[in-house]
Amino acid sequence: MVTVRAPATSANLGSGFDVFGAALSKPADVVRIEPAEETTIEMYGAGSEYIPEDPEKNVAGAVAKALDAPAEIRIDKGVRPSSGLGSSAASAAAVAVAIDEAYGLGHSREELVPYAAEGEALVSGEAHADNVAPSIMGGFTIATPEGVTQVDASIPLVVCLPELVISTRDARRVVPRSAEVSQVVDCVGRAATLVAGMFRDDPALVGQGMEDGIVTPARAELIDGYDGVREAALEAGATGVTVSGAGPAIIAACEDERRKGIASAMLDRFAERGIETRAYQTEVGRGAELF
Ligand code: HSE
């Protein structure tokens, strides 16, 4: 029996749509697997009642198939589905790392990323790696068709998860098909600033880089109360605020001592609208861990 904990992640980080991702120190999924003749899946934990256990319809089944390694798989969800926190990616990442260990396949963490991305393809229609890469490798990741560049960053974060459901497929439909050159110039500058901030462990630069005028405004409209929550987080000292992944989670970067105040300001704004919400005081953290 192999047990792996794989973290939630936040993709995009504003200016890095489908490219940037960060592992979060919490929450996380825990997966236990045993090699078997054929793949079976049992689901427990947050939102597991909405996830099919049929291996043909479950990300874990897709990863086991991609690695040609059938297994009995038990998944304890700490990351609820349709959250914007890489729920399916956390399960896919954990299964990829666990199967590699159980079968002694000897893949590097980077080599496991495309296998785990097969799970993503099953749920979102595209095998993008911006959630699975940080969940497997940890830290901040830049995922491109050429591969993954990983940085061991340390940035305090607050993630707020309202009880709203937005499917990744729906959130991808609202992404603009084109942008003005001036918007692209702004986005490149911000993306570069964010990368510099990750290398320097500088929350101010990371926050500047999290602003984005192309994808985020369209997606923010899908999240009831987004503008008010963003404003409250900035007033409480966040250096930058954006939609986490496809939403509805909202992520803020900040200095360590500001996390508590930002979390409570964001929770208050959602509460004013009668929306139940969880807040995680978290940070850029480690990737999948074997137990
Ligand atoms: N980059 C993806 C998106 C992540 O924002 O649609 C969601 O899984």
Side-chain angles (χ1 to χ4, degrees):
M1 170 89 69
V2 173
T3 303
V4 172
R5 174 193 187 274
T9 49
S10 185
N12 306 329
L13 301 172
S15 57
F17 178 64
D18 275 357
V19 176
F20 292 166
L24 306 178
S25 60
K26 60 183 172 189
D29 280 5
V30 175
V31 163
R32 291 180 184 84
I33 79 135
E34 186 110 58
E37 287 294 309
E38 63 181 44
T39 296
T40 54
I41 300 170
E42 288 177 52
M43 301 294 311
Y44 300 90
S48 56
E49 62 274 28
Y50 302 111
I51 305 172
E53 291 183 333
D54 177 352
E56 293 295 321
K57 296 181 182 153
N58 186 300
V59 293
V63 177
K65 195 171 176 179
L67 284 163
D68 196 17
E72 277 173 24
I73 303 171
R74 177 196 159 110
I75 301 178
D76 287 286
K77 297 292 300 170
V79 190
R80 78 142 165 98
S82 300
S83 58
L85 297 175
S87 174
S88 55
S91 297
V95 169
V97 171
I99 284 182
D100 183 73
E101 175 73 12
Y103 274 90
L105 301 178
H107 291 300
S108 68
R109 290 294 174 105
E110 188 175 350
E111 283 167 355
L112 287 173
V113 169
Y115 293 106
E118 288 302 316
E120 284 292 77
L122 187 75
V123 287
S124 77
E126 289 171 59
H128 48 80
D130 52 350
N131 284 112
V132 287
S135 192
I136 289 178
M137 299 171 75
F140 166 66
T141 54
I142 303 167
T144 70
E146 283 69 41
V148 179
T149 305
Q150 192 269 4
V151 181
D152 276 329
S154 173
I155 299 287
L157 301 164
V158 176
V159 174
C160 218
L161 177 57
E163 277 304 317
L164 306 169
V165 173
I166 295 173
S167 84
T168 302
R169 281 177 200 263
D170 290 345
R172 292 187 81 78
R173 276 193 206 111
V174 303
V175 173
R177 298 292 123 196
S178 60
E180 298 288 333
V181 169
S182 60
Q183 290 177 298
V184 175
V185 169
D186 180 69
C187 191
V188 170
R190 290 189 183 275
T193 302
L194 189 143
V195 173
M198 290 290 182
F199 270 99
R200 291 187 191 175
D201 287 333
D202 182 335
L205 288 182
V206 169
Q208 272 178 44
M210 278 166 63
E211 299 302 317
D212 152 57
I214 302 174
V215 177
T216 309
R219 285 188 159 179
E221 288 189 18
L222 303 176
I223 304 171
D224 188 8
Y226 177 84
D227 289 340
V229 170
R230 175 185 147 80
E231 191 184 288
L234 291 170
E235 274 170 15
T239 56
V241 182
T242 193
V243 176
S244 179
I250 300 175
I251 185 167
C254 58
E255 297 288 348
D256 195 21
E257 66 278 11
R258 298 284 187 152
R259 275 193 295 205
K260 198 169 170 193
I262 292 168
S264 98
M266 293 170 93
L267 287 172
D268 285 352
R269 280 303 168 98
F270 272 125
E272 282 167 15
R273 303 179 81 88
I275 300 170
E276 207 178 305
T277 308
R278 280 194 75 145
Y280 299 95
Q281 294 178 50
T282 182
E283 63 197 312
V284 179
R286 286 200 284 262
E289 292 174 285
L290 282 155
F291 288 97

